[in-house]
Amino acid sequence: MASASLAAHMSISLFHILVFSQVLAPALFVGTIVGEIAAFRESRFSGDVAMALFVGCGLFQFNAPRSIPESTKAHHFIKLDAKLSDACVGWHEFALDNVFRSPAEVKIWRQGDQMFEQATGRRVLLGAHEIFPESETNFFLMVNGAELIFIKNDKVEATGFVHHMDGLPDSEIKKVN
């Protein structure tokens, strides 16, 4: 009776057994081989360090992130006054940073009630895309989930915007005209 209840509390799922056999077992095998080679050429300590590194890398695979998390923010679009939209219109230039490593520009314009953006340069989303207002300063790009948060001065003119995407650092873009 006691052994049955103990076994019920110590059950390991099939998933965990498969993960262990596919991730940790090869790391142990390769780590052992590398450890033996290092121990043969140098000292036993070097072999133990090499084996620990391989096993540690194998254990890291259990908790390694596999993709960028999906945005959980719900977007609610509003109808924006043309005067407020026109304040954002113009050419904007990306500052070189960790996300945009080469020069790029963004043209933002209005056609009727719709706002559009088009980026030119390397490593940018090519083509013209509609941007949707969420407030006077926040816009949302439906294609890739990017948010454009416009920075305005005292005269309510946009001086640039912050480009935000989940999983990436924010980039500041300055207005050039």
Side-chain angles (χ1 to χ4, degrees):
M1 182 74 171
S3 63
S5 70
L6 182 62
H9 290 292
M10 294 179 48
S11 67
I12 298 174
S13 70
L14 180 61
F15 172 75
H16 288 97
I17 293 171
L18 288 173
V19 168
F20 178 79
S21 65
Q22 291 180 349
V23 174
L24 193 57
L28 283 170
F29 179 71
V30 172
T32 303
I33 291 172
V34 170
E36 289 300 319
I37 292 171
F40 178 73
R41 291 186 163 186
E42 295 175 17
S43 68
R44 183 69 198 155
F45 177 74
S46 297
D48 290 343
V49 168
M51 185 171 154
L53 285 172
F54 271 92
V55 171
C57 290
L59 288 173
F60 175 74
Q61 294 297 317
F62 284 115
N63 293 324
R66 298 293 179 197
S67 64
I68 296 174
E70 292 292 324
S71 176
T72 56
K73 182 180 176 185
H75 295 280
H76 303 285
F77 309 119
I78 63 169
K79 183 174 171 73
L80 196 60
D81 183 50
K83 191 180 282 187
L84 296 171
S85 297
D86 287 340
C88 303
V89 169
W91 282 93
H92 299 77
E93 189 174 69
F94 285 88
L96 301 181
D97 60 10
N98 290 340
V99 178
F100 300 100
R101 296 181 183 157
S102 59
E105 291 183 338
V106 176
K107 177 186 175 187
I108 296 180
W109 72 96
R110 185 172 65 87
Q111 286 181 352
D113 290 341
Q114 297 174 311
M115 295 280 294
F116 293 91
E117 68 85 27
Q118 183 171 4
T120 56
R122 294 181 61 202
R123 298 183 59 151
V124 296
L125 183 62
L126 298 176
H129 304 283
E130 186 174 2
I131 55 176
F132 300 92
E134 294 181 299
S135 71
E136 292 180 13
T137 57
N138 293 4
F139 289 78
F140 176 71
L141 188 60
M142 188 129 6
V143 176
N144 62 357
E147 294 179 41
L148 311 177
I149 302 140
F150 283 89
I151 303 164
K152 295 188 176 183
N153 61 15
D154 298 342
K155 300 174 187 173
V156 194
E157 299 169 339
T159 59
F161 64 90
V162 175
H163 178 271
H164 172 79
M165 280 185 70
D166 289 340
L168 295 175
D170 290 348
S171 297
E172 190 170 329
I173 292 88
K174 297 286 185 189
K175 193 170 187 177
V176 292
N177 66 341

